[in-house]
Amino acid sequence: MRLPHLRFLLLAAATAWLSACGPADNSGGDPFAQHDKDLRKSEDGNSLLGEIRPPPEIARTFGITAKDDRSEILLLQGNAKLAYPLYQKAVLSVLSGRQNGMKLTTLDAADDAEKQVAQFRAALDRKPIAILLDPADGADFSSVLPAATQAGIFVIGLQKGLKGCSSLVYCDPAAIGHTAAEIALDALKRKAAEEQKSEVAGRIVQIRGAEKSPLSQQISIGLEEGLRKQPGVILVHDAPAGWTPETVFHRFSEAVNIQKQFDVVFAHSDVLAQAVAKAATHYNTREQLLIIGVDGLDSRNEGLDLLRNGEIDATVARPLLVDLALSLALKKKADPAFQPKESYVVPPIAVTPKNHSAFSARREFALPSL
């Protein structure tokens, strides 16, 4: 049984939010055009030549070291090679680029916890107005976060439970699991009704990210909690794929060999869910499965695109968080007396063929007030 899904491209699908974010100016990346704009930017004649930043090409040619007095925001990412953090980085780059006098620096720890702590320590010397911290698995910042507080640096953690930050902006991973469970249970309820069965029953397979990933562990906890609403729906197989699509075929094959039959596969990313769909096609079981992913991004071969094309049946869209975090940082910069809340929680959204078009057009999450 599968959820009804789109078998054709949605006509008039709205442009994704990220692609709608155009460049901050129309210079087309021409440094000389930007230089000319700087020369003429002040109509009252108060702009001095000594204050103008030369184009990078001129600065490199003549060995000019221009003073960069822009306010800096640092984004420290645990693993920037995965789809979701890559999208976060791209969106934050666009949004921060639209702020006058602002620059963004991003650092990727490449899953190295010690490296990220060292990056954080080095970041303090740059005296940024804010550090956005997406921790690598196992990273311990207890030795460096107090120094950030003493230096007056605003640190925004992007993960639940991160201690010592000025504030947290996160999506509860357990809520992602709950949302996936709701999608599965709704579909299985419809199946039971169609078959005129009084009991809702089903067998669930879960494909995690990494075995020791706190994110995957908490998502799994949420899934199991959500499935308890229907005792006849059980998790029969749970295997890690290391966030690697190439591993999914082996995990799926194991599930087929051990479990023989199941109704739903929940994968901890849309990329993994796409690999599940390919494996199910190989085993001729695709039409009998409901496949759910996580992230809900609107890039090619990402969640919304895969759902639009019917490759997967549903996705749990995660809020990007960096937009809200940037708003917090800018508010703190404008008003140093501003006291942020301890945490700002943004819930995920279930996206199915029913609400896919509306969600794709707006990508609206329930953002809390500052």
Side-chain angles (χ1 to χ4, degrees):
M1 183 282 303
R2 296 178 60 187
L3 268 178
H5 59 270
L6 303 179
R7 289 290 186 180
F8 51 88
L9 290 173
L10 292 173
L11 297 178
T15 303
W17 176 64
L18 176 61
S19 62
C21 296
D25 55 57
N26 60 358
S27 63
D30 181 354
F32 293 94
Q34 182 61 48
H35 185 56
D36 185 60
K37 284 180 62 178
D38 290 340
L39 286 172
R40 296 182 286 103
K41 67 181 177 180
S42 175
E43 293 182 356
D44 60 10
N46 291 330
S47 182
L48 300 178
L49 288 176
E51 297 173 345
I52 297 172
R53 187 181 299 111
E57 284 77 3
I58 294 178
R60 286 195 296 268
T61 299
F62 294 99
I64 301 172
T65 303
K67 180 182 179 182
D68 190 347
D69 55 0
R70 292 175 294 170
S71 298
E72 184 176 34
I73 289 180
L74 271 79
L75 173 63
L76 272 60
Q77 296 183 294
N79 184 350
K81 292 181 175 60
L82 299 177
Y84 179 75
L86 271 174
Y87 210 84
Q88 284 182 307
K89 177 180 175 180
V91 167
L92 185 59
S93 178
V94 170
L95 294 179
S96 60
R98 291 178 167 180
Q99 301 296 323
N100 291 328
M102 183 74 62
K103 66 177 178 179
L104 172 68
T105 300
T106 60
L107 299 172
D108 177 17
D111 274 335
D112 188 328
E114 292 184 3
K115 178 180 179 180
Q116 191 175 45
V117 173
Q119 289 174 337
F120 188 99
R121 186 177 290 108
L124 299 180
D125 296 333
R126 302 171 71 102
K127 296 181 172 55
I129 64 166
I131 296 176
L132 277 55
L133 179 58
D134 176 26
D137 292 348
D140 181 3
F141 297 94
S142 59
S143 63
V144 291
L145 279 168
T149 302
Q150 293 173 4
I153 297 174
F154 194 43
V155 180
I156 304 173
L158 301 179
Q159 184 183 93
K160 180 183 179 181
L162 193 57
K163 305 295 185 182
C165 296
S166 308
S167 185
L168 298 181
V169 175
Y170 67 88
C171 175
D172 189 347
I176 295 173
H178 285 154
T179 304
E182 290 172 4
I183 295 171
L185 293 181
D186 285 346
L188 292 170
K189 286 177 185 176
R190 290 196 298 273
K191 179 185 178 185
E194 291 171 359
E195 297 174 350
Q196 298 182 338
K197 293 181 178 179
S198 59
E199 180 183 0
V200 177
R203 295 164 61 82
I204 314 292
V205 168
Q206 179 173 227
I207 304 295
R208 300 191 188 210
E211 185 173 7
K212 297 182 179 180
S213 163
L215 173 66
S216 277
Q217 290 171 353
Q218 293 173 49
I219 289 176
S220 181
I221 290 172
L223 176 72
E224 294 186 56
E225 288 176 347
L227 294 180
R228 291 192 193 112
K229 295 178 182 179
Q230 292 290 343
V233 179
I234 56 175
L235 181 65
V236 297
H237 196 83
D238 187 349
W243 301 113
T244 307
E246 292 76 15
T247 309
V248 170
F249 185 85
H250 300 291
R251 302 288 84 83
F252 188 88
S253 298
E254 291 168 356
V256 170
N257 292 331
I258 296 171
Q259 303 301 331
K260 308 303 181 185
Q261 183 275 329
F262 41 89
D263 305 286
V264 179
V265 180
F266 171 48
H268 286 194
S269 80
D270 293 323
V271 173
L272 298 180
Q274 182 186 36
V276 168
K278 293 178 180 178
T281 299
H282 174 82
Y283 279 96
N284 295 317
T285 59
R286 177 65 186 99
E287 291 302 319
Q288 290 76 48
L289 289 180
L290 174 76
I291 299 177
I292 307 170
V294 175
D295 287 341
L297 305 178
D298 203 10
S299 300
R300 185 178 181 183
N301 282 327
E302 292 295 342
L304 298 185
D305 185 47
L306 298 175
L307 180 54
R308 181 182 300 121
N309 295 326
E311 291 188 62
I312 66 174
D313 301 309
T315 182
V316 181
R318 297 168 63 188
L320 293 176
L321 306 176
V322 292
D323 49 350
L324 182 59
L326 177 62
S327 296
L328 270 178
L330 294 176
K331 187 174 179 65
K332 184 66 174 178
K333 179 178 182 292
D335 179 12
F338 166 64
Q339 293 299 319
K341 298 176 185 178
E342 182 177 333
S343 63
Y344 299 83
V345 184
V346 187
I349 293 178
V351 185
T352 67
K354 184 177 180 179
N355 68 334
H356 172 276
S357 181
F359 179 79
S360 298
R362 295 189 297 272
R363 287 194 59 85
E364 288 183 349
F365 290 88
L367 298 181
S369 61
L370 302 186

